[in-house]
Amino acid sequence: MLVNDVEKIESWKAFFSRCMRDHIEFAEFPQELGQQSVKTPLGGRFVYQAWVQQRHGSARIQDRLLCYFELLLQSGVLTDAEVLGCVLQDFKKTSELRERESGDQSKQSTEAAVLDRLSFQMIQRRAIVTTASERIDTLRVAKPLMTLVSNFTQNLEHLIPLDGPYLEIGNALGQYIGAYINDLSKVGLLTSNDGGPPKDLKTWFGRYLPPFVVLISPSNTHLGQALDMLQKQSGLHTGSITTLLGNAVVDGVDLESLTYQENVLDNPLIITRAALYIYLNAVLVGRPLYDDVTLFNYLNARYSGGIPTLVMDLITATFDVLANAINRAESNGGILIYRSFLTNKLPALLESYSTMIFPPYNIESCIAEALSRMDPPADPYSTQSFDLLDSSGMLSEARAEFLFSCALYGLIPEQSIESILGDVPMQSLPEGGKYHKADLVAQCTANPVKIEELVGELENLEGNAAGISGALVEIIQSLCSSKDTITLKIICNALSRKSRALDVLMMFCRPNTIVQPLCELLDHWQAHEDQGEHQPVYDEFGSILLLVLVFRQHFSLSNSDLGISNTDSFILKYIRRGCVSRDPSELSEQEKMLLGGWIKGLFEAEGISDELMSICSPQDFYLLVATLFDQSLKACEAGVLGLETLKGGFESGLSWSTHRLHNPTSASTTSLSTLLPTLSLLVHPLSLSSDALSLHEAVLGFTAMPLEKALVAVQKLNPRRQDIDSLLAILKSRIRHPRNTAIPASELESWCGTSGGSILSSLHNSIMALVNWSTTGVSNAAPPNYNHRLLLTAQTMLGARTVLESLLDIILKHAVSETADVVLDIVTALICAPSANDGRERLSLRHVLQSAYNDAYALNKHDAARAAIVVRLHRRVQIQGGSSPNGEIGAELDVNAAMDAAVAVDGNGILLDMGDGTGVAATGQAQMVDVINAGMEMDLQMVDVMGDVGAAEDFLGM
């Protein structure tokens, strides 16, 4: 290696390190990569060396690097042939592998991870480039691939059956071989002039692949069979394994391994009450998850055509989940989600099943019987009942609301409600009847004012939220397509004010169906040529931007969740640097000119001119506001601007103040004397119009948490300041808590403070409470306290492998007890439960269970009971959870969504809610109460320009 190459490798190592440190988004990485390639050109194998040396640290860091690796492949910086050669060199370091074999089994080996990504990219390319002429370079992969296969087989044939990291690499290598053969076949590269495969390919694969199949089959039967079949179908060998290798080799293979999984007897399926309770809790624990197809598949797989039982259990489970939320004293906003699911979502689900119920049952009898299960028992002193007459009366109200919603959907006659309730109802069906999407769209098109009315009705518990949600989504998409930004402003303002309405909306659509068209509109924003004034343009742009950021903050959405794919997206730029003040020396001449124009317009008598707005696009303005505010503060501190002038000019930008508090230790007493009075006026403005006031409340609701945290830190450094307390009081009253899976620090402390002192002990206790509840035999037994965040937190802190091993321990512990089948059903439900993080994380419980299933025969050699449990659990998850997480050999996951920086923390970080709702990083149980200074993640602009600035009024237009 030349000295120059060493220097270049160091440059690339620094590049990867910087990308990790700065959390460069995957959408932005190709642009950064292009600049680095031009700056420091380097061969692919050396780039790989620089990349692979970064592979240390937490699973989160490794997954992010692997996503960068995929982008290196997509860009052509690395080729498959180069990577396979590097993997061969790494594999030869057998001492490293043996050392890893006894180390942390929760981390996938680098070789296996790289081969997994190569398989993924192979399938991706196949979908894009399908002609042989465009894929001729693929043939160059065959030689290094078979060299790796040969080396792997020769070095490990004495270790049959494989296990540990060797099996990991073998599985990944086999999947890549399968993807490669499929690829050659589908683009026509397996057919030469004589009609068969090219001679070299046939020789290499015929010689080196059969021994590999023999090596891998005892540990992964399905992979071995798949490769053998692929090889025969493609003509890459003409004989069987036996004829090629001789009986002696095959005799050395334990043929039982080929049928081990199939021979494990299954337990009878027990339908427990807890399983559906777990599933629905998972659906509603954070952002409500919309995926009716998955829910229907799960229900149909569990109940196998027993529709009456399915309907009754679904109703019961929904009431169980609501009762749990009430007993856990969740917030009013949280309980509204559960009640809305009961009244707005459940009747729609029941309607789908109503036509599948046959005598002696009908949908009305199923509803009545389900509700009768929850009647309080005859013993008035019982404390173990699901008491519908709770002190708040909430469950009783919810029962009536549900029945009226069912009547609205035509599931029961209205006159049956009194007999089912056993009491005279205090409400009635909505006057307008059942809403239909097409009718609502037509009404809103004719009268846009109707939109605000519909948004307000989303929170109603009458059963019409589905029709309203469908109409709003269609209207937003249509308005974005037609660029009707005037009407779009109305709907965006209405939704931004109501976070609870957004929660309900998410039960009927995914975030990107709304946010993606809005982002595209902002990216390609153009003022109308006939626009007389530019002030309305800023108003409309600001309203749309506000809704996008409200969605992102309220639901903790990643860029992938937002549906952003354009690397040059304005939203991506704004999220990354919208609140970062830049030094004037870093600005372009155009930006300096615009900055000067805004400063002059804000603080001089002439005000903001229409000419300035005409030459400064809203995108440019919003990327300048942080610098604009910072320069204004500095001018005030230097005496160039008076404090009152500053306050008058900037009674418009709450988040402009937050970036100076990002690092409170940098705020001197002098800067606080300027900053705090300004911030006080922004938080509590003297006067606002009614529309501006409601939007001010919306923005303040989402910026209050980070502001409060920053002010608390400032107060600790400046305990004598009396003006901070009043600000904190206002902020605390305005906090709007996000709907995500963050946990209060106090709850994490309680989980880790149980007997046994670990979060796994709490998970075990929670599962046993569910087991006991499911086996009481009392239909109206109160549901146990259950928080699905416990499982999610355990996975994030300890890794999916560790959690799965703990779940297997629980099943094994009860394997010979009367509750064995109940425990198995509950653990199956935990693994099948959906998550908003699905697709963001590479290693889920389902993925590690699949790996354990592949290794079951090897495990059977020394722990037969555990191996059988793995096989049975895997079968249940495959049936109830849908298809395999990996699908076909080498099948891919969504790379862009895999490890998007939804939570930007390092190490084994977990999102905590430190009492005030602020997400902070905790790298383990011992550090769970450490509070770090939170960054100001929400960058929203305020509502009005309130000072004596004439033409500046409402220039932000939100």
Side-chain angles (χ1 to χ4, degrees):
M1 184 185 299
L2 300 177
V3 174
N4 191 37
D5 288 335
V6 174
E7 294 175 351
K8 289 182 177 180
I9 290 175
E10 290 301 317
S11 173
W12 278 85
K13 287 167 62 177
F15 165 71
F16 289 122
S17 179
R18 178 179 63 81
C19 290
M20 293 299 299
R21 183 188 67 244
D22 295 344
H23 299 286
I24 298 298
E25 296 282 356
F26 306 134
E28 299 175 6
F29 182 77
Q31 183 177 355
E32 300 280 346
L33 179 61
Q35 295 172 359
Q36 173 67 14
S37 298
V38 172
K39 174 185 173 184
T40 313
L42 188 64
R45 63 190 182 95
F46 296 131
V47 172
Y48 180 89
Q49 289 179 22
W51 172 84
V52 82
Q53 291 181 39
Q54 306 294 319
R55 286 272 293 164
H56 56 77
S58 69
R60 186 184 300 276
I61 291 175
Q62 294 195 35
D63 283 335
R64 175 171 285 276
L65 275 166
L66 285 169
C67 288
Y68 287 159
F69 172 75
E70 289 178 348
L71 295 172
L72 289 170
L73 289 170
Q74 291 176 16
S75 65
V77 173
L78 295 180
T79 66
D80 286 28
E82 289 171 332
V83 173
L84 290 171
C86 294
V87 169
L88 174 61
Q89 296 302 316
D90 289 344
F91 172 71
K92 289 179 178 179
K93 302 173 183 178
T94 55
S95 59
E96 177 188 341
L97 280 174
R98 294 193 185 103
E99 186 176 313
R100 190 189 303 123
E101 192 172 7
S102 60
D104 184 2
Q105 294 294 310
S106 69
K107 293 182 181 178
Q108 191 180 29
S109 69
T110 297
E111 296 88 342
V114 164
L115 290 168
D116 277 344
R117 273 52 177 194
L118 287 179
S119 300
F120 167 74
Q121 291 298 321
M122 182 71 69
I123 294 172
Q124 285 286 85
R125 288 195 297 269
R126 184 193 309 157
I128 300 172
V129 182
T130 57
T131 62
S133 60
E134 295 175 290
R135 298 295 301 279
I136 196 69
D137 285 347
T138 306
L139 291 173
R140 297 192 176 95
V141 174
K143 187 172 183 179
L145 175 60
M146 287 299 104
T147 303
L148 176 59
V149 168
S150 173
N151 193 284
F152 185 86
T153 305
Q154 292 175 13
N155 281 279
L156 300 181
E157 60 186 358
H158 63 287
L159 294 178
I160 294 177
L162 301 180
D163 60 4
Y166 294 125
L167 179 57
E168 245 186 7
I169 298 174
N171 285 336
L173 181 55
Q175 290 173 0
Y176 181 75
I177 294 169
Y180 182 68
I181 294 176
N182 270 326
D183 189 60
L184 293 177
S185 176
K186 290 188 177 183
V187 299
L189 290 175
L190 277 183
T191 304
S192 60
N193 293 332
D194 62 2
K199 183 178 179 181
D200 287 344
L201 283 182
K202 191 170 182 178
T203 300
W204 291 334
F205 278 85
R207 180 175 182 179
Y208 298 118
L209 185 54
F212 175 80
V213 172
V214 172
L215 178 70
I216 200 68
S217 291
S219 306
N220 191 339
T221 307
H222 301 289
L223 178 59
Q225 292 173 340
L227 289 175
D228 186 40
M229 182 177 297
L230 273 175
Q231 188 173 17
K232 290 176 181 176
Q233 290 176 345
S234 61
L236 291 174
H237 76 67
T238 55
S240 65
I241 293 178
T242 303
T243 57
L244 285 168
L245 302 179
N247 290 325
V249 176
V250 177
D251 290 343
V253 178
D254 189 345
L255 297 180
E256 181 188 350
S257 67
L258 302 178
T259 57
Y260 168 71
Q261 284 94 335
E262 287 75 8
N263 290 333
V264 174
L265 298 179
D266 211 347
N267 291 13
L269 176 62
I270 301 294
I271 303 295
T272 64
R273 185 173 179 178
L276 202 46
Y277 176 63
I278 291 169
Y279 195 96
L280 293 184
N281 266 296
V283 168
L284 300 173
V285 67
R287 165 171 59 87
L289 302 180
Y290 167 75
D291 193 345
D292 289 354
V293 173
T294 299
L295 176 58
F296 282 133
N297 289 341
Y298 177 74
L299 293 172
N300 295 338
R302 281 183 63 79
Y303 290 90
S304 302
I307 304 301
T309 303
L310 183 160
V311 167
M312 289 184 279
D313 285 358
L314 182 58
I315 295 170
T316 304
T318 307
F319 274 97
D320 286 339
V321 169
L322 174 59
N324 180 55
I326 295 171
N327 294 335
R328 284 175 40 78
E330 293 205 15
S331 66
N332 291 336
I335 290 177
L336 174 68
I337 292 175
Y338 296 100
R339 293 182 70 172
S340 186
F341 184 89
L342 177 68
T343 56
N344 288 310
K345 183 75 172 182
L346 181 58
L349 298 175
L350 298 181
E351 185 181 38
S352 302
Y353 285 112
S354 61
T355 58
M356 306 178 194
I357 301 175
F358 303 100
Y361 289 100
N362 58 42
I363 187 64
E364 181 179 350
S365 65
C366 290
I367 292 171
E369 184 170 337
L371 292 181
S372 70
R373 296 177 181 179
M374 294 171 283
D375 286 334
D379 179 5
Y381 302 103
S382 172
T383 59
Q384 297 300 315
S385 65
F386 185 170
D387 186 1
L388 289 171
L389 300 175
D390 62 305
S391 58
S392 66
M394 194 177 296
L395 287 172
S396 298
E397 293 174 7
R399 179 172 173 168
E401 292 161 355
F402 167 66
L403 288 174
F404 275 99
S405 294
C406 289
L408 184 70
Y409 275 78
L411 301 176
I412 60 174
E414 185 178 1
Q415 57 267 28
S416 298
I417 295 176
E418 183 176 341
S419 61
I420 297 175
L421 278 178
D423 195 3
V424 178
M426 302 299 292
Q427 64 187 84
S428 61
L429 291 173
E431 292 182 6
K434 185 182 178 183
Y435 289 171
H436 298 280
K437 181 180 75 171
D439 295 337
L440 296 179
V441 171
Q443 293 172 27
C444 293
T445 302
N447 179 20
V449 177
K450 178 74 174 177
I451 294 174
E452 291 193 71
E453 180 184 329
L454 290 180
V455 171
E457 291 185 40
L458 269 176
E459 298 180 40
N460 293 349
L461 303 172
E462 298 178 339
N464 272 322
I468 296 173
S469 299
L472 291 177
V473 172
E474 184 170 319
I475 290 168
I476 290 174
Q477 293 176 344
S478 175
L479 292 174
C480 289
S481 178
S482 64
K483 294 182 171 54
D484 182 357
T485 54
I486 297 175
T487 308
L488 201 56
K489 174 187 172 183
I490 296 174
I491 192 170
C492 288
N493 285 348
L495 287 171
S496 295
R497 298 184 188 110
K498 294 182 175 291
S499 60
R500 293 183 181 181
L502 297 182
D503 295 335
V504 176
L505 193 59
M506 289 300 97
M507 295 182 192
F508 303 97
C509 68
R510 294 181 177 85
N512 62 355
T513 59
I514 295 176
V515 180
Q516 185 175 18
L518 295 177
C519 290
E520 291 178 356
L521 182 61
L522 293 176
D523 287 344
H524 303 94
W525 186 274
Q526 289 183 343
H528 300 296
E529 293 182 0
D530 59 349
Q531 184 76 51
E533 297 181 20
H534 288 82
Q535 169 64 42
V537 175
Y538 275 73
D539 294 348
E540 295 152 15
F541 186 94
S543 294
I544 298 169
L545 175 60
L546 176 61
L547 181 59
V548 170
L549 296 175
V550 165
F551 260 100
R552 181 175 183 268
Q553 178 74 0
H554 185 58
F555 296 120
S556 300
L557 299 179
S558 68
N559 295 340
S560 297
D561 294 328
L562 296 175
I564 301 174
S565 57
N566 180 10
T567 57
D568 196 38
S569 168
F570 161 74
I571 292 295
L572 280 180
K573 295 176 182 176
Y574 186 77
I575 289 171
R576 185 177 177 189
R577 54 186 175 91
C579 68
V580 178
S581 174
R582 290 178 286 167
D583 189 271
S585 62
E586 300 175 8
L587 302 178
S588 67
E589 291 302 317
Q590 174 72 6
E591 288 173 325
K592 289 178 182 178
M593 185 265 292
L594 294 176
L595 180 64
W598 282 108
I599 292 176
K600 181 179 178 180
L602 284 171
F603 304 116
E604 292 186 5
E606 290 80 4
I608 299 171
S609 67
D610 197 60
E611 180 184 358
L612 174 62
M613 290 186 176
S614 69
I615 62 173
C616 180
S617 69
Q619 296 99 321
D620 291 337
F621 169 74
Y622 280 102
L623 294 176
L624 276 176
V625 290
T627 305
L628 172 60
F629 180 78
D630 198 44
Q631 290 299 309
S632 302
L633 272 183
K634 290 176 178 177
C636 183
E637 292 168 12
V640 177
L641 281 178
L643 181 57
E644 292 304 316
T645 304
L646 178 75
K647 289 161 63 176
F650 277 115
E651 194 174 356
S652 59
L654 177 60
S655 70
W656 302 355
S657 302
T658 64
H659 81 279
R660 281 299 296 272
L661 294 177
H662 177 77
N663 182 5
T665 58
S666 67
S668 66
T669 304
T670 303
S671 64
L672 286 179
S673 299
T674 303
L675 182 59
L676 291 178
T678 306
L679 181 58
S680 178
L681 195 60
L682 296 176
V683 170
H684 189 57
L686 298 178
S687 62
L688 285 175
S689 64
S690 58
D691 287 343
L693 181 61
S694 61
L695 285 171
H696 176 278
E697 292 290 322
V699 177
L700 191 57
F702 290 104
T703 54
M705 283 193 294
L707 264 177
E708 183 201 25
K709 184 166 181 60
L711 282 173
V712 168
V714 170
Q715 190 177 46
K716 290 179 180 179
L717 297 174
N718 302 270
R720 295 183 179 180
R721 293 197 66 101
Q722 302 299 315
D723 48 355
I724 296 179
D725 287 329
S726 59
L727 274 174
L728 288 174
I730 295 173
L731 291 173
K732 286 180 180 179
S733 67
R734 299 293 195 279
I735 287 176
R736 189 190 295 184
H737 291 282
R739 191 68 194 174
N740 55 30
T741 55
I743 56 171
S746 58
E747 188 146 25
L748 183 58
E749 288 178 343
S750 68
W751 290 340
C752 298
T754 58
S755 56
S758 74
I759 197 169
L760 291 179
S761 298
S762 291
L763 181 61
H764 178 272
N765 294 340
S766 181
I767 292 173
M768 294 319 301
L770 293 169
V771 171
N772 294 334
W773 178 54
S774 296
T775 55
T776 58
V778 179
S779 63
N780 59 355
N785 185 315
Y786 178 75
N787 188 347
H788 194 70
R789 290 180 176 88
L790 173 59
L791 177 68
L792 301 177
T793 303
Q795 286 181 247
T796 305
M797 293 181 68
L798 306 175
R801 290 185 190 275
T802 301
V803 173
L804 178 66
E805 291 302 319
S806 180
L807 295 176
L808 294 175
D809 289 340
I810 294 172
I811 299 174
L812 189 60
K813 182 178 179 180
H814 297 85
V816 295
S817 70
E818 296 179 353
T819 60
D821 297 328
V822 174
V823 174
L824 183 60
D825 190 56
I826 289 173
V827 173
T828 301
L830 291 171
I831 296 175
C832 291
S835 168
N837 292 327
D838 287 346
R840 293 186 196 174
E841 297 175 353
R842 282 285 176 183
L843 208 58
S844 67
L845 287 173
R846 288 198 65 187
H847 288 110
V848 295
L849 177 61
Q850 179 69 50
S851 177
Y853 176 78
N854 293 337
D855 297 344
Y857 178 70
L859 177 62
N860 177 64
K861 295 294 186 180
H862 57 86
D863 195 339
R866 195 178 191 87
I869 285 171
V870 168
V871 173
R872 294 186 185 111
L873 180 61
H874 180 267
R875 285 177 187 161
R876 297 286 179 88
V877 170
Q878 289 294 92
I879 293 171
Q880 298 180 27
S883 60
S884 166
N886 291 322
E888 64 172 341
I889 292 179
E892 69 273 14
L893 295 172
D894 184 350
V895 183
N896 290 329
M899 284 308 300
D900 217 336
V903 183
V905 292
D906 289 325
N908 295 312
I910 175 173
L911 190 65
L912 300 182
D913 187 338
M914 304 303 291
D916 58 3
T918 303
V920 300
T923 57
Q925 297 179 32
Q927 297 169 312
M928 62 187 147
V929 295
D930 290 344
V931 181
I932 64 170
N933 292 327
M936 305 299 103
E937 295 180 358
M938 190 66 177
D939 306 310
L940 300 175
Q941 310 318 317
M942 259 315 140
V943 194
D944 264 327
V945 176
M946 292 290 301
D948 299 324
V949 195
E953 184 176 357
D954 290 333
F955 79 96
L956 290 180
M958 294 193 178

